[in-house]
């Protein structure tokens, strides 16, 4: 394995991947390691010409790839899964560096990537009989759309990109993916490795920022866009895609409510709610971002939570088991600090955390619990995307459901905690969110369709249902 340290040794190299080849570029940048604030490796920035070259290669490859059978594509997907698995040490070390994740968390992300690829070796869209009578048979068949432009965020760079890549491959599309410029390394390396098993032009990767993303959404040679990121950028992407009538999938921000009922077993539920809120320092789209606890158990829940969140204190050494990492980049670090500042300015009750760890290098924020901030406070209304938990009380079921549903940015996910199965489903079915987890932290599952409602998204992906959004449906009306 080449040296992982940017200084000395046979340094790891990163390239844009176009038409099956490694391409160097005139322009480069370096990401800052969020643990140490030291620069990582050089990474190329793709030019307009390189985007044009990638689109041309993808269109060429699509002519053949679209005719491949489901079995042929699934065989390739299986080979890609094996390729990721064979390189899991390398990929998780890179992920750890670029995101600040612990070794354990980075390893899980690589393993989950393999699981997602393997899942789609056994799942495909079949033709469906839509209608039949004595005169006619009507079938629905699902055909690839063409060239997908995929644009991904920095919090789970490998898995979130992989979902788009494997969905495109499974449905016979070609894909050009742009990682976040904050975390380009693992995805570029993954794409490079996958070239050994895929035909040239089928899966390509270009690194760049908002300007490259804009060019992708406006490019006439790209047929559809799958984007994961903020609501503001999602809106911009939708506007751009309208100009060429591209199909678009938007996986956007969440502000998940966790509703904890008075009949839960606190010793089991407190650790799971903490995990749902603080995993990856809260930088998870479906993290619990507003925790509503029934007033009858609020004080006991809070006491136990204060103890529990100590486990999420960060550690500079990523190999310490379960050590939480820092905030992944300076921009998000400053945003998270500004939310803590707002809590202090408005005298919200910070029960634990809230201090800025300016004595050590890296973007560290201690796990922070804020007790009963007002419903219209910045912390409750906005997605914090950091390790700050607002803990709120409730008494009346209809009222807590109304509060959970009151925000437009809260359409991605939610969780409900009660051993009463009927009550759990009664609450869950009234929540205005694309996925609701019952008695478990919010972890997307490869077999579960995932898409945000309201401002949290448009369309969706994952599961068998998700493949429909990567396909055109054609009706075949056959006279008998
Ligand atoms: P972001 O919107 O800032 O950036 C996402 C990607 O879009 C990056 O690759 C960026 O370079 C690119 N981009 C920026 N401006 C663009 C433009 N004008 N046109 C095209 N591309 C452009 O988001 P982020 O900060 O990287 O990610 C964090 C956000 O993502 C959070 O809000 C989080 O909730 C959300 N997220 C959602 C999901 C989900 O599945 N719903 C998953 C993870 C993260």
């Amino acid at each position: 394995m080449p040296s992982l340290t940017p200084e000395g040794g046979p340094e790891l190299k990163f390239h844009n991947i176009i038409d099956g080849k490694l391409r160097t570029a005139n322009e480069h940048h370096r990401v800052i390691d969020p643990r140490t604030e030291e620069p990582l490796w050089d990474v190329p920035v793709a030019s307009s010409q390189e985007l044009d070259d990638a689109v041309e290669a993808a269109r060429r490859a699509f002519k053949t790839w679209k005719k491949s059978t489901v079995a042929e594509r699934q065989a390739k997907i299986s080979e890609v899964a094996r390729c990721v698995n064979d390189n899991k040490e390398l990929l998780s070390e890179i992920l750890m560096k670029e995101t600040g994740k612990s070794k354990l968390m980075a390893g899980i992300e690589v393993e989950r990537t393999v699981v997602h690829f393997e899942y789609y070796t056994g799942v495909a869209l079949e033709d469906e009989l839509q209608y039949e009578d004595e005169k006619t048979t009507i079938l629905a068949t699902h055909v690839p759309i063409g060239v997908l432009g995929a644009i991904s965020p920095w919090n789970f760079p490998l898995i979130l990109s992989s979902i788009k890549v494997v969905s495109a491959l499974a449905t016979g599309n070609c894909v050009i993916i742009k990682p976040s410029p904050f975390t380009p390394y693992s995805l570029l390396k993954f794409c490079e490795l996958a070239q050994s098993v895929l035909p040239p032009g089928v899966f390509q990767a270009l690194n760049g920022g908002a300007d490259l993303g804009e060019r992708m959404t406006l490019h006439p040679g790209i047929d559809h866009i799958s984007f994961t990121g903020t609501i503001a950028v999602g809106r911009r992407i939708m506007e751009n895609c309208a100009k060429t009538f591209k199909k678009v999938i938007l996986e956007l921000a969440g502000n998940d409510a966790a509703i904890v009922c008075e009949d839960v077993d606190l010793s089991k539920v407190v650790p799971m709610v903490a995990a749902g809120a603080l995993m990856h320092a809260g930088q998870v789209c479906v993290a619990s971002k507003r925790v509503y606890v029934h007033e009858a158990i609020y004080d006991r829940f809070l006491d136990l939570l204060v103890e529990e969140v100590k486990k999420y204190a960060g550690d500079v050494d990523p190999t310490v088991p379960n050590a939480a990492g820092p905030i992944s980049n300076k921009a998000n670090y400053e945003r998270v600090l500004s939310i803590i500042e707002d809590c202090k300015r408005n005298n919200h009750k910070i029960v634990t955390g809230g201090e800025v760890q300016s004595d050590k290098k890296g973007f560290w924020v201690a796990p922070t619990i804020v007790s009963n901030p007002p419903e219209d406070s910045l912390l409750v209304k906005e997605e914090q995307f950091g390790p700050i938990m607002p803990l709120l009380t409730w008494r009346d079921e209809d009222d807590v459901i109304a509060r959970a549903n009151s925000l437009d940015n809260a359409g991605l996910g939610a969780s409900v905690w009660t051993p009463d199965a009927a009550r759990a489903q009664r609450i869950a079915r009234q929540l205005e969110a694309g996925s609701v987890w019952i008695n478990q932290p919010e972890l997307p599952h490869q077999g579960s369709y995932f898409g945000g409602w309201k401002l949290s998204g448009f369309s969706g992906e994952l599961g068998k249902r998700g493949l429909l959004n990567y396909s055109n449906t054609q009706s075949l009306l056959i006279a008998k």
Side-chain angles (χ1 to χ4, degrees):
M1 187 169 76
S3 169
L4 281 163
T5 49
E7 307 310 330
E11 193 177 311
L12 263 188
K13 297 264 192 266
F14 295 88
H15 304 268
N16 291 316
I17 313 295
I18 301 173
D19 204 11
K21 299 183 192 70
L22 310 186
R23 287 270 285 260
T24 46
N26 294 330
E27 197 189 334
H28 290 80
H29 74 95
R30 284 183 161 203
V31 173
I32 300 299
D33 182 332
R35 283 178 187 278
T36 62
E37 296 185 52
E38 296 298 325
L40 293 168
W41 310 273
D42 269 0
V43 62
V45 178
S47 65
S48 299
Q49 182 59 52
E50 280 152 344
L51 174 60
D52 287 345
D53 292 350
V55 171
E56 202 184 303
R59 300 221 71 84
R60 212 169 31 243
F62 182 61
K63 287 181 191 154
T64 312
W65 183 244
K66 71 178 176 186
K67 293 183 188 152
S68 56
T69 62
V70 166
E72 286 164 347
R73 296 201 288 266
Q74 289 183 337
K76 289 290 180 198
I77 289 170
S78 174
E79 285 182 60
V80 175
R82 199 167 324 119
C83 186
V84 174
N85 202 37
D86 290 348
N87 291 281
K88 63 182 175 212
E89 286 297 320
L90 172 67
L91 290 169
S92 61
E93 288 283 326
I94 296 171
L95 257 180
M96 216 165 72
K97 286 266 179 205
E98 66 184 348
T99 60
K101 282 185 180 138
S102 65
K103 195 176 172 59
L104 183 80
M105 278 289 290
I108 290 172
E109 183 167 347
V110 179
E111 277 165 25
R112 298 294 304 157
T113 297
V114 175
V115 166
H116 279 70
F117 270 82
E118 282 172 347
Y119 169 75
Y120 283 109
T121 62
V123 172
L125 296 173
E126 298 98 22
D127 286 359
E128 299 152 45
L129 180 65
Q130 297 191 86
Y131 178 85
E132 185 155 45
D133 63 18
E134 62 284 354
K135 289 191 189 144
T136 188
T137 301
I138 306 180
L139 297 177
T141 187
H142 308 288
V143 295
I145 298 172
V147 176
L148 172 75
I151 301 176
S152 52
W154 49 259
N155 61 334
F156 287 88
L158 195 59
I159 185 91
L160 294 174
S161 299
S162 295
I163 291 167
K164 300 180 188 314
V165 173
V166 71
S167 304
L169 297 181
T171 45
N173 294 281
C174 293
V175 51
I176 302 169
I177 188 150
K178 186 196 92 56
S180 164
F182 288 119
T183 52
Y185 301 110
S186 55
L187 192 266
L188 290 184
K189 195 50 75 184
F190 165 44
C191 185
E192 179 183 328
L193 294 165
Q195 300 310 301
S196 62
V197 299
L198 290 169
V202 167
F203 169 24
Q204 306 178 88
L206 300 174
N207 175 51
D211 50 346
L212 176 62
E214 287 263 330
R215 277 185 258 128
M216 288 170 73
T217 55
L218 293 167
H219 202 294
I222 292 181
D223 303 292
H224 54 148
I225 292 283
S226 178
F227 168 79
T228 300
T230 53
I231 293 168
V233 174
R235 181 176 278 123
R236 172 80 184 158
I237 284 177
M238 206 167 193
E239 283 165 10
N240 280 347
C241 286
K243 291 175 188 150
T244 47
F245 261 59
K246 287 182 184 31
K247 290 187 184 303
V248 61
I249 298 171
L250 302 176
E251 299 280 8
L252 307 178
N255 197 353
D256 291 24
I259 299 177
V260 185
C261 299
E262 70 282 8
D263 49 3
V264 295
D265 176 344
L266 287 173
S267 65
K268 286 189 185 143
V269 167
V270 170
M272 288 195 280
V273 172
L278 297 176
M279 213 186 301
H280 190 25
Q283 301 168 111
V284 180
C285 56
V286 283
S288 293
K289 292 175 182 146
R290 298 174 289 151
V291 180
Y292 292 93
V293 179
H294 193 279
E295 63 176 14
I297 56 164
Y298 185 88
D299 291 343
R300 276 190 302 138
F301 189 100
L302 179 58
D303 288 347
L304 291 171
L305 187 66
V306 169
E307 278 309 301
E308 183 66 25
V309 302
K310 289 181 184 157
K311 294 182 190 159
Y312 293 86
D315 199 302
V316 179
D317 179 358
T319 61
V320 172
N322 293 323
I327 299 293
S328 284
N329 55 68
K330 195 165 188 196
N332 197 42
Y333 178 60
E334 286 173 351
R335 218 185 46 78
V336 170
L337 292 187
S338 74
I339 295 175
I340 292 178
E341 275 314 305
D342 183 84
C343 289
K344 290 182 179 168
R345 208 170 33 246
N346 289 293
N347 296 319
H348 302 333
K349 190 172 171 198
I350 298 178
V351 184
T352 185
E355 62 277 356
V356 177
Q357 296 168 309
S358 52
D359 53 325
K360 57 179 178 182
K361 284 261 186 194
F363 308 132
W364 301 94
V365 175
T368 299
I369 302 172
V370 183
S371 177
N372 269 319
E375 205 74 24
D376 64 350
S377 59
L378 188 69
L379 174 58
V380 176
K381 277 192 323 193
E382 294 297 321
E383 180 190 44
Q384 63 270 51
F385 223 55
I388 325 170
M389 292 177 71
L391 205 66
L392 304 130
T393 50
W394 65 277
R395 180 185 303 158
D396 176 72
E397 195 176 292
D398 288 341
D399 180 57
V400 75
I401 291 168
R403 286 156 73 194
N405 288 339
S406 65
L407 300 172
D408 277 349
N409 63 2
L412 193 59
S415 61
V416 180
W417 301 84
T418 170
D420 178 338
R423 185 185 192 191
Q425 285 222 20
R426 183 176 71 230
I427 296 173
R429 287 171 187 275
Q430 294 177 77
L431 293 173
E432 294 164 5
S435 302
V436 183
W437 284 263
I438 296 176
N439 296 322
Q440 54 183 317
E442 302 92 327
L443 196 64
H445 188 278
Q446 65 277 5
S448 173
Y449 183 68
F450 187 75
W453 298 2
K454 303 196 266 192
L455 297 186
S456 293
F458 185 85
S459 189
E461 52 198 4
L462 284 177
K464 186 170 177 180
R465 162 86 181 76
L467 296 182
L468 283 172
N469 299 332
Y470 285 83
S471 311
N472 278 326
T473 296
Q474 182 179 57
S475 289
L476 295 173
L477 299 93
I478 307 157
K480 283 188 175 166

